[in-house]
Amino acid sequence: MAEKVPEYSTEDIIKNLIRNDLDGDLRYRAEQDLLKRWRLGFDLSFLVELIQSERSQDRLRGAYYLGELGEAIDGLKVSIMPLADDPLSDCRRAFVGYATNLGCYDEAIGAGLAKCLHDLDLYVRVTTIKWAVHASDEAFEAFSQLVNSGVGSRKPTFRNPLSNDFWNEADLKRAMRGLDIARRIRLKEKIQDIRKDFPEEDSFVLDNLHFSQTRHERLVKGGYEIR
């Protein structure tokens, strides 16, 4: 591949990146050019092909590029929805990240996020809780209603004798706990106080949320200017 990356088609750039034919600065420039094209809405079909591929390596690459885009791109919303059900946790987390960048909410996105709130992968779960923390009041309440109704829970294996409905009670409690934690953070409560009331929550999730909550304080203490 020649030095002038923009002379190459999007397909050629992707092929060279997949084959790992590029080294150092040229690889970086190729990836940046690829991301620039997609941010401008050009050749999005190649990104869609990656994130919807049957090959897990391709989907992981597509998930990585979604994260590197750092913004939502018109025309990708429908294409990224299957990532919420992807067997690869990195892909499910990419869905949450994209939903966060999208900055808007509808029932389809909410259903995907509800699945990710139930997720057994802690990175996916905590990323979803962070989405809930920063969502608009309207989006958060709509999302809460979806989760309360059981959307996103795993298929139950027994009938609840109290209500005579099929229900995964433990799954619902875990999702509700995530909602409650997000709601209390939205109310500016400190993680050290929240932690006392949710001893059953995995410490990784609470530690991660605490790290995010105290980021501003650490930056100020370190002398960084916060804008």
Side-chain angles (χ1 to χ4, degrees), residues 165-181:
D165 293 330
F166 282 104
W167 203 252
N168 191 332
E169 188 174 355
D171 213 33
L172 180 62
K173 285 182 178 179
R174 185 168 179 271
M176 291 300 300
R177 187 168 71 243
L179 275 180
D180 288 341
I181 291 171

Side-chain angles (χ1 to χ4, degrees), residues 105-183:
Y105 176 89
D106 60 26
E107 191 166 337
I109 292 172
L113 289 167
K115 293 175 185 177
C116 293
L117 184 62
H118 287 85
D119 209 292
L120 296 178
D121 184 278
L122 296 178
Y123 281 105
V124 177
R125 177 171 168 79
V126 75
T127 304
T128 309
I129 293 175
K130 288 179 181 179
W131 171 87
V133 167
H134 298 290
S136 68
D137 291 343
E138 182 180 1
F140 181 75
E141 290 309 316
F143 177 64
S144 298
Q145 291 176 20
L146 276 181
V147 175
N148 289 339
S149 67
V151 172
S153 61
R154 290 167 295 170
K155 186 176 180 181
T157 56
F158 61 90
R159 186 183 294 275
N160 187 330
L162 298 179
S163 64
N164 204 35
D165 293 330
F166 282 104
W167 203 252
N168 191 332
E169 188 174 355
D171 213 33
L172 180 62
K173 285 182 178 179
R174 185 168 179 271
M176 291 300 300
R177 187 168 71 243
L179 275 180
D180 288 341
I181 291 171
R183 183 175 286 108

